[in-house]
Amino acid sequence: MTISPLFTDLYELTMAQGYLLNHHNPHVVFDMFFRRQPYGGGFAIFAGIDTLLDDLEGLKFSCDDISYLGSLGYFGDEFLEYLSEFRFSGSVLSFREGSLVFPEEPLIRVEAPLIEAQIIESLLLNIVNFQTLIATKAARVLVATEFGSILEFGMRRAQGYNGALMASRAAYIGGASGTSNTLAGRLYNIPVSGTMAHSWVMAFDSEAESFERYSELYPDTSILLIDTFDTLNQGIENAIIIGKKLRKQGKRIGVRLDSGDLSYLSKQVRARLDAAGLRYAFIAVSGDLNEQIAAQLLAEGAPVDVWGVGTQLATGHPDAAVSGVYKLSARYQGRQIIPTMKVSNNPAKMTNPGIKQVFRFYDKDRTPLRDVIQLADEPIPEGPMELHHPTLHYKRTMFSAFHSAEEQLLPVMREGKRLNPQEDLKIIRDRVITQLQRMDETFLRQINPHEYKISLSRALRDLKFRMIDEYNRG
Amino acid sequence: MTISPLFTDLYELTMAQGYLLNHHNPHVVFDMFFRRQPYGGGFAIFAGIDTLLDDLEGLKFSCDDISYLGSLGYFGDEFLEYLSEFRFSGSVLSFREGSLVFPEEPLIRVEAPLIEAQIIESLLLNIVNFQTLIATKAARVLVATEFGSILEFGMRRAQGYNGALMASRAAYIGGASGTSNTLAGRLYNIPVSGTMAHSWVMAFDSEAESFERYSELYPDTSILLIDTFDTLNQGIENAIIIGKKLRKQGKRIGVRLDSGDLSYLSKQVRARLDAAGLRYAFIAVSGDLNEQIAAQLLAEGAPVDVWGVGTQLATGHPDAAVSGVYKLSARYQGRQIIPTMKVSNNPAKMTNPGIKQVFRFYDKDRTPLRDVIQLADEPIPEGPMELHHPTLHYKRTMFSAFHSAEEQLLPVMREGKRLNPQEDLKIIRDRVITQLQRMDETFLRQINPHEYKISLSRALRDLKFRMIDEYNRG
């Protein structure tokens, strides 16, 4: 699937023509970052960069695109000609896909001629904002289920085809074990799963017959939906018959509960399965689940083995979006770098000037301690450092008790070419899980989490304050 | 853009293979409907059917799709061969795109062999649930702005490319005047708009220069963003200079406010424009708007001419999805029609059996009075009718005071071929606006609206009760 660069806000193009005709197309540096964690949580999972890089490599206006733009009446021949030759020729640095990330730190750094950097803005934000939202949601569900087995099946209420496909991709990265979205399975190599709906059970003369037919056909994946008629008086009994039959073949069943009180029912069903000697039969639950409901079920001791999560995972509900932004941080004048920043009455809306790097500091067990945003030309941190709060100027600290430091923004694209092939999603998913497991639990709390520390280096903070002072002097 | 039928939940395919191997593939009838209005409002705008019909016509498993399915280990040669010949051959009836619609009534009726009807379920729900969500959101904003001019620019935080494209389409249908999404403009023939971002203003040595350059290039669409530095002390003054210059050429400016208190600022800016003789200059506002904020601004008398609405419109926030479902209502046994229904302990989860039609009743001014769901073979309603509440069996009424009745489910596809070409979106949008204007205002209230009446015909209610009785007798 390639996307047209016409997938951009029109103002990017009206501005781009203005820059071209005013001969104002310097090399610039943009940072993508967000200011607030989604869901009021303590972390986000960065996702989408691999999708973005593929798209950037393929970006090209088609003849239809160009003639459409011509028809709008805004654009002259010189600009249309420029667009017909348009390719993204910039460089990109980025956090690794699947990194735990935090507010204020640059997640992606784009260096390109101004016009190119602007035309890709909407595409970049669209991809990364959404996939990060969903990967984060999946990781929250993963934590809530104590690293349980989660199946994503939200496609029927996801936002568009591609909303569904990207949601499946991002949910898997964030820790889901699989998806029901078969096309996502093929495109992204995600394990797919799914067995029967109520309509299957109702298509036969009896529930017992429907289970029988199913287990004959799929003896290895017989997850029987037992709530169509009466879970405890009928469904579980019919499932146990199949379970005993399959046990003789060395195979096991699962049962799925999709309605009713999942805590009460799962305990009853577990007891009945155990009493029938089907201790290995597993219990899947579904039905408008989210991280809060999962946590509550576990707190009540519900014996759930598999969590089917749909709409709320695929849409990131109750948040609609990660509010990622893309802001100019420097421009080149010849070979000289001019840092730029947005000065605002609202300190939270100020940006951090200059070309920056992010370091993550670890203790000896590789538990992350804090992140530091510094200027890219500062040396790799070693000894004790003076660190500053990103917005509150009176907050500072000395920091030295760390074991190692790791650069987070790595080169992923140079002159429009990606530097590495797509990673297998399984590797990205493993990275997410490893990081979550290394993180102190207080940062993973669902609500009111411990706030992970993001600091500015002394040099970055000094640059920022100097620029604010200059601005205030007019 | 064609979508693969692999865009389906895996269980549709595992079940489909089961039906095929069990020689159980009768013609069936499915209804798509929803049970609750989005946003707690009094209406929804039905959208997406035209997109769906195009997709259904083009559905075809590719060789890659088939070999991927083969690789999963679930599917045998007979079924894979069936899929390689798969085309949707069914018939579809539907409400017209852009209709005001209400809970419980079938919006789409699909008649097809069981396997085909199941394979398209996820696609159908994905498209219609999402576009209906967004068209409804747009209509709510339209009502809140008293049928004002709304620009949708949510793509950077929309859910995927296609989430953004479908959102632009549906927002326009629901009453937006245009979009910033340039690709949506090309694909769906939606007016596109957009002028400048803060980055344009900051790219020049001064705000005044940036406005000057912009208005030279785009004298007909100079919407100047005046809040980059200081709206009232600088931005509006620089805009007025341009406004006076353009006025001499017979052109007018607009100004956009993207931050601060939009009520206070818009009044101040209006006064300054008027005092400068620029009464025709218009004021656009933006920044996390939604229907509640728009209504509040108008209630305070804010002189807003254009509403830029982004994230919340393109994602349907705070709702994630319309909870549309797709349920079996009848199956054929030879030529005989067997009505089916889901009987549930929860009356709201019962379905209405049989092949159904929906009539909308109007008074002489074409104001809708109520909708009636009846069996498709009942005659067109004329005289007094006994009508029943959809779930409460003791509620019934006699109804006769209407001027006309109109069938709502119209044939749109027969044997897999659509019967009409795509409608121009402008026509659909006009239909939405006309209906909203004809509706009694109490139904359009943002919260706690008057509930529009949906009834069952006597015959449908009798069939439903008969089936419940049969079920209860076991």
Side-chain angles (χ1 to χ4, degrees), chain B residues 115-331:
Chain B
I115 294 177
E116 295 178 24
Q118 289 269 232
I119 286 177
I120 68 165
E121 174 176 13
S122 319
L123 177 68
L124 180 150
L125 289 174
N126 175 274
I127 294 171
V128 177
N129 277 334
F130 179 56
Q131 290 201 31
T132 298
L133 181 77
I134 303 305
T136 305
K137 184 74 175 182
R140 286 172 63 80
V141 177
L142 188 71
V143 169
T145 61
E146 298 172 3
F147 295 86
S149 178
I150 299 160
L151 301 177
E152 175 273 316
F153 44 67
M155 73 187 297
R156 64 187 54 197
R157 292 180 192 163
Q159 302 207 341
Y161 323 131
N162 182 261
L165 291 169
M166 283 199 183
S168 298
R169 180 185 193 274
Y172 183 64
I173 286 177
S177 300
T179 180
S180 71
N181 184 334
T182 319
L183 187 57
R186 173 163 102 69
L187 293 175
Y188 306 128
N189 194 25
I190 303 171
V192 287
S193 76
T195 55
M196 65 174 68
H198 295 108
S199 58
W200 172 270
V201 179
M202 291 163 70
F204 293 86
D205 287 332
S206 70
E207 185 181 60
E209 189 193 346
S210 78
F211 288 180
E212 181 71 29
R213 292 288 155 273
Y214 200 88
S215 64
E216 284 165 12
L217 191 55
Y218 304 109
D220 294 308
T221 54
S222 279
I223 304 178
L224 306 166
L225 181 57
I226 60 175
D227 70 343
T228 306
F229 300 108
D230 187 330
T231 304
L232 296 180
N233 288 316
Q234 179 183 332
I236 183 61
E237 292 309 318
N238 284 326
I240 285 171
I241 294 169
I242 305 296
K244 289 181 170 171
K245 200 177 291 184
L246 285 180
R247 190 176 49 185
K248 291 180 192 150
Q249 306 168 34
K251 298 177 190 299
R252 66 172 183 162
I253 58 161
V255 296
R256 177 158 76 98
L257 297 166
D258 188 48
S259 62
D261 189 88
L262 299 176
S263 176
Y264 172 76
L265 290 173
S266 63
K267 288 174 195 169
Q268 296 287 321
V269 163
R270 182 75 269 158
R272 304 273 277 277
L273 289 168
D274 290 352
L278 299 172
R279 294 192 176 275
Y280 293 105
F282 63 91
I283 298 176
V285 299
S286 56
D288 262 334
L289 297 181
N290 61 26
E291 63 269 45
Q292 287 82 20
I293 296 171
Q296 180 63 30
L297 284 170
L298 283 190
E300 293 182 17
V304 173
D305 302 293
V306 176
W307 306 84
V309 191
T311 309
Q312 297 206 35
L313 175 51
T315 61
H317 197 74
D319 282 13
V322 168
S323 52
V325 295
Y326 179 81
K327 298 289 177 189
L328 188 69
S329 61
R331 63 190 160 88

Side-chain angles (χ1 to χ4, degrees), chain A residues 6 8-10 14 22 55 65 118 126 155 159 161-162 180 182-183 186 195 199 213 218 315 317-318, chain B residues 6 8-10 14 22 55 65 118 126 155 159 161-162 180 182-183 186 195 199 213 218 315 317-318:
Chain A
L6 211 57
T8 192
D9 289 298
L10 183 70
T14 51
N22 285 290
D55 282 338
D65 291 340
Q118 288 269 231
N126 175 275
M155 74 187 297
Q159 303 209 341
Y161 321 132
N162 182 261
S180 70
T182 320
L183 187 57
R186 172 164 101 69
T195 55
S199 58
R213 292 288 155 274
Y218 304 109
T315 62
H317 197 73
Chain B
L6 211 57
T8 192
D9 288 299
L10 183 70
T14 51
N22 285 290
D55 283 338
D65 291 340
Q118 289 269 232
N126 175 274
M155 73 187 297
Q159 302 207 341
Y161 323 131
N162 182 261
S180 71
T182 319
L183 187 57
R186 173 163 102 69
T195 55
S199 58
R213 292 288 155 273
Y218 304 109
T315 61
H317 197 74

Side-chain angles (χ1 to χ4, degrees), chain A residues 69-84:
Chain A
L69 288 175
S71 77
L72 293 178
Y74 299 129
F75 302 111
D77 287 347
E78 184 176 344
F79 183 61
L80 294 177
E81 217 152 283
Y82 167 84
L83 290 184
S84 69

